[in-house]
């Protein structure tokens, strides 16, 4: 028997490979399930797989496989069964009745990790909303199980007492959270409008979870962000200013990591946060080049960007973690840059790539400034990418040339 630390839940992962999944895709996503469970502080001690055209309408798996799972529970001393496939409320209850152990699915597992990671008030509100809306149709039959187990993976966020309350109370909580989020969204909109009116080049980091976005954020801006080799290491959006070639006119916004089949509940709850992407000037699509499933990750992120209707924005694909590559890498998306966020020279190459793309999207300008208005030169230097500053002695004026966003410096 495998011994684990006291208090760590022993987890069994169950996955059904239906016709919608190719073999390689299913294997990658099952490995991702292991990573997710470990991120949620569980210990995966066994996995059960089955291949079916579609999920069994009652138990997700076939009756024979369900008996196999039941026998394995005692043998491996399982505390929690996590299904890769999304379970309907009736499926969840039927499986728990047979197995007599707590059962959650991938959606609830991801919600749980988000509850673990959210630090800001907005992040916590968003996660609570997603959890309440997911759990509302599952309240029946959950109370007894939650009381008996007293917490664990899949129960973080809204407390036990709240989850055992009647539906009317849960709905009132949802209404209250939505109102609070509306207030936060209004504040975010004011901040966003102010940023849009500025002359800064607003850049956003997007990518599959654990691609290295937070490390790049830290390297470019010097911000103390939470950097760990974990899924969903950071949730709360963060915007910081940074300089390229001595020009402090760039802002960088970190966003929540994407994942294959991101739960609808999360997309809806994080709508105001994800909408930050709409108002950016350039997206840095960070890809873990060392991950065998990087192509699938690329496709997932691009699909989500299309769903958010932001795929029209300029995108620079940043293939990260080149230091972990064991063989030559062939990028599949252009324009791109291959880097290791841990390498200072690579980060300089990334800055130059950002610089070039911003120039492509900017407006070229050239203005004359009289000596008595020389203080305006500093404004141009602060708000635009000044590439040339010369003084014409014969006609007594400064010639300032460079690139700027479409807003005109007065």
């Amino acid at each position: 028997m495998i011994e684990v630390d006291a208090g760590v839940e022993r987890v069994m992962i169950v996955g059904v490979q239906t016709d919608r999944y190719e073999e390689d895709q299913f294997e990658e996503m099952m490995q991702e399930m292991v990573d997710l469970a470990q991120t949620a502080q569980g210990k995966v001690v066994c996995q059960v797989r089955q291949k079916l055209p579609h999920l069994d309408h009652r138990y997700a798996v076939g009756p024979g496989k369900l008996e196999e799972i039941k026998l394995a529970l005692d043998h491996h001393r399982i505390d929690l069964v996590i299904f890769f496939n999304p379970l309907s409320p009736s499926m969840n209850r039927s499986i728990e009745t047979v197995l007599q152990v707590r059962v959650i699915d991938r959606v609830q597992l991801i919600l749980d990790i988000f509850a673990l990671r959210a630090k800001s008030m907005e992040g916590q509100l968003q996660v609570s909303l997603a959890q309440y809306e997911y759990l509302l149709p599952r309240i029946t039959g959950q109370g007894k199980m939650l009381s008996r187990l007293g917490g664990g993976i899949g129960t973080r966020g809204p407390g036990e007492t709240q989850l055992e309350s009647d539906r009317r109370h849960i709905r009132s909580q949802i209404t209250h959270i939505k109102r609070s989020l509306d207030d936060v969204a209004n504040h975010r909109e004011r901040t966003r409008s102010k940023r849009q009116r500025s002359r800064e080049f607003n850049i956003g980091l997007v990518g599959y979870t654990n691609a290295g976005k937070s490390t790049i954020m830290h390297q470019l801006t010097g911000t103390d962000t939470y950097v760990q080799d974990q899924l969903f290491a950071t949730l709360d959006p963060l915007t910081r200013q940074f300089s390229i070639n001595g020009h402090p006119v760039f802002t960088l916004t970190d966003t929540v990591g994407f994942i294959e089949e991101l739960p609808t509940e999360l997309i809806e709850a994080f709508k105001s946060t994800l909408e930050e992407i709409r108002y950016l000037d350039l997206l840095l699509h960070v890809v873990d080049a060392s991950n065998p499933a990087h192509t699938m990750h690329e496709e997932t992120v691009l699909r989500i960007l299309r769903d958010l209707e932001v795929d029209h924005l300029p995108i620079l694909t940043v293939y990260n973690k080149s230091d972990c590559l064991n063989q030559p890498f062939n990028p599949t998306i252009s324009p791109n840059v291959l880097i290791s966020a841990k390498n200072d020279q690579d980060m300089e190459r990334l800055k130059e790539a950002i610089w070039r793309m911003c120039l492509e999207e900017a407006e070229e300008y050239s203005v004359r400034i009289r000596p008595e208005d020389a203080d305006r030169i500093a404004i141009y230097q602060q708000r635009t990418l000044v590439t040339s500053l010369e003084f014409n002695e014969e006609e007594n004026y400064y010639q300032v040339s460079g690139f700027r966003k479409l807003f005109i410096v007065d």
Side-chain angles (χ1 to χ4, degrees):
M1 301 292 286
I2 301 173
E3 295 299 329
V4 295
D5 295 337
V8 176
E9 289 181 278
R10 299 173 67 85
V11 175
M12 172 192 289
I13 293 177
V14 178
V16 180
Q17 183 185 350
T18 60
D19 288 345
R20 64 176 295 186
Y21 299 108
E22 297 293 334
E23 189 76 32
D24 290 347
Q25 182 189 24
F26 179 73
E27 287 302 318
E28 289 294 342
M29 294 188 72
M30 284 294 285
Q31 179 55 51
E32 188 175 80
M33 285 293 295
V34 174
D35 296 337
L36 287 168
Q38 291 173 344
T39 300
Q41 303 174 356
K43 174 69 176 181
V44 178
V45 295
C46 66
Q47 299 182 45
V48 176
R49 290 171 165 82
Q50 186 173 33
K51 197 169 185 178
L52 295 173
H54 52 79
L55 296 182
D56 180 86
H57 73 281
R58 188 171 184 185
Y59 298 116
V61 296
K65 186 63 68 174
L66 189 65
E67 285 301 314
E68 179 186 324
I69 293 171
K70 190 173 182 180
L71 290 173
L73 294 179
D74 289 335
H75 177 71
H76 293 287
R77 295 186 286 117
I78 299 299
D79 302 307
L80 173 69
V81 175
I82 306 178
F83 271 74
F84 158 72
N85 313 86
L87 302 176
S88 68
S90 60
M91 277 183 186
N92 211 130
R93 289 193 290 270
S94 297
I95 297 168
E96 282 190 340
T97 299
V98 173
L99 299 182
Q100 288 297 296
V101 70
R102 198 155 54 89
V103 175
I104 66 173
D105 63 11
R106 180 176 177 274
V107 175
Q108 193 168 348
L109 175 61
I110 293 174
L111 290 173
D112 185 77
I113 294 170
F114 271 53
L116 190 66
R117 293 280 183 260
K119 302 301 180 186
S120 71
M121 180 189 72
E122 181 183 13
Q124 291 170 355
L125 285 171
Q126 288 169 324
V127 174
S128 293
L129 175 62
Q131 287 181 310
Y132 277 129
E133 293 189 329
Y134 176 78
L135 291 171
L136 182 59
R138 293 166 169 81
I139 294 298
T140 303
Q142 285 266 343
K144 182 179 178 182
M145 183 65 71
L146 288 170
S147 295
R148 183 167 62 82
L149 291 172
I153 295 173
T155 65
R156 296 184 181 100
E160 261 181 69
T161 303
Q162 291 171 315
L163 290 179
E164 292 172 358
S165 299
D166 58 32
R167 292 174 181 273
R168 185 178 301 172
H169 175 72
I170 298 297
R171 290 194 180 99
S172 71
Q173 290 296 310
I174 290 174
T175 301
H176 173 72
I177 291 173
K178 284 183 174 179
R179 286 173 180 165
S180 298
L181 282 173
D182 284 342
D183 293 338
V184 176
N186 290 334
H187 174 73
R188 182 183 293 281
E189 178 61 33
R190 289 192 294 272
T191 302
R192 185 164 52 214
S193 297
K194 183 179 179 181
R195 193 184 306 145
Q196 276 297 104
R197 290 194 300 271
S198 75
R199 276 69 174 180
E200 294 171 331
F201 290 82
N202 303 310
I203 300 165
L205 290 162
V206 297
Y208 209 81
T209 181
N210 203 32
K213 296 186 302 300
S214 294
T215 303
I216 291 175
M217 179 82 174
H218 172 72
Q219 293 290 76
L220 286 178
T221 68
T223 304
D224 289 331
T225 53
Y226 182 72
V227 178
Q228 286 291 328
D229 186 20
Q230 295 176 330
L231 300 179
F232 303 115
T234 54
L235 281 188
D236 302 310
L238 181 70
T239 299
R240 291 292 183 268
Q241 194 171 31
F242 72 106
S243 300
I244 300 180
N245 296 332
H247 297 274
V249 295
F250 299 88
T251 67
L252 188 63
T253 299
D254 196 3
T255 62
V256 62
F258 296 156
I259 194 169
E260 180 70 17
E261 298 182 15
L262 188 67
T264 304
E265 294 84 358
L266 280 176
I267 292 178
E268 189 61 31
F270 279 74
K271 191 173 182 180
S272 65
T273 302
L274 292 172
E275 281 189 348
E276 283 283 294
I277 300 172
R278 293 178 182 273
Y279 303 94
L280 298 171
D281 302 304
L282 172 66
L283 297 182
L284 302 184
H285 174 194
V286 184
V287 180
D288 178 358
S290 68
N291 193 307
H294 72 268
T295 301
M296 184 185 84
H297 294 175
E298 287 175 356
E299 293 170 353
T300 296
V301 172
L302 294 176
R303 184 172 64 251
I304 293 174
L305 291 178
R306 285 195 298 272
D307 292 343
L308 293 172
E309 298 180 351
V310 295
D311 53 316
H312 64 282
L313 294 174
I315 299 177
L316 171 63
T317 302
V318 182
Y319 289 104
N320 189 27
K321 305 188 183 182
S322 63
D323 54 309
C324 299
L325 290 172
N326 298 318
Q327 56 188 10
F329 180 78
N330 296 314
T332 54
I333 304 177
S334 293
N336 65 72
V337 59
L338 176 63
I339 69 162
S340 166
K342 298 177 181 179
N343 185 296
D344 291 341
Q345 290 182 335
D346 283 359
M347 293 307 297
E348 289 302 317
R349 288 197 303 109
L350 173 59
K351 286 183 179 181
E352 286 304 315
I354 294 171
W355 175 272
R356 289 194 301 271
M357 287 203 67
C358 285
L359 291 190
E360 290 175 7
E361 299 299 323
E363 173 189 54
E364 191 169 7
Y365 73 88
S366 184
V367 295
R368 294 181 178 184
I369 298 177
R370 293 293 178 186
E372 59 267 26
D373 298 323
D375 55 337
R376 295 186 64 210
I377 296 174
I379 297 176
Y380 277 94
Q381 291 173 328
Q382 292 170 2
R383 299 181 178 181
T384 73
L385 305 178
V386 176
T387 56
S388 174
L389 173 60
E390 297 177 352
F391 183 68
N392 187 315
E393 294 185 3
E394 293 182 4
E395 299 188 33
N396 194 36
Y397 66 82
Y398 291 95
Q399 187 75 41
V400 181
S401 302
F403 295 83
R404 63 185 172 193
K405 291 174 65 173
L406 296 180
F407 300 103
I408 300 174
V409 181
D410 297 323

